[in-house]
Structures are given as structure tokens and as C-alpha cells.
Amino acid sequence: MGYLRLLEGDAQGALEVLKLAATSADQMDSFAVANALCELGEAWLALGEPDTALEALPSRRFALDLS
């Protein structure tokens, strides 16, 4: 649902739904968590806030560090 909102241009609505998905995903299901975080990152990029992902998900920063 969140990704659909993003495709329709509702980045703020997508962000709200994707935050809920990321926090409610089964933490033992690494695919579900990774998928939710990737889509959440896309929503932040669509809003022009790429650094927000790093600030909001500090425990996942190692996965986002490309240096």
C-alpha cells in the first residue's frame, strides 16, 4: 500500500504507511525488514530527504554505508 502511494505521488502518505510497515515487520524475517526499509528509503528520497534514513535508522547505518 505504501509503495502504491509513492507511485501515485503521495510521498508523505507513503512515508506514514511504510514507517508502520517497517516497525511492525517480524524482526526475524530479514526479507520483510529489508523490503520495508528499502521502500522507506525510496519514500525519503522522493521527499528529498536522503539523510533522514541515516538519522532515523542508526542501527541499520552499516547497511547504508557505501564508503
Side-chain angles (χ1 to χ4, degrees):
M1 182 58 99
Y3 191 70
L4 180 60
R5 285 188 179 191
L6 187 59
L7 290 176
E8 291 178 344
D10 182 11
Q12 189 61 45
L15 191 63
E16 293 172 14
V17 172
L18 293 169
K19 280 182 184 179
L20 179 61
T23 57
S24 63
D26 179 3
Q27 297 301 303
M28 298 303 289
D29 184 352
S30 58
F31 179 77
V33 172
N35 192 36
L37 293 177
C38 285
E39 291 184 11
L40 189 55
E42 286 184 32
W44 274 314
L45 286 175
L47 286 170
E49 300 178 21
D51 294 332
T52 303
L54 296 175
E55 295 168 8
L57 303 168
S59 65
R60 309 261 189 226
R61 183 181 178 100
F62 69 90
L64 302 171
D65 189 10
L66 300 176
S67 59

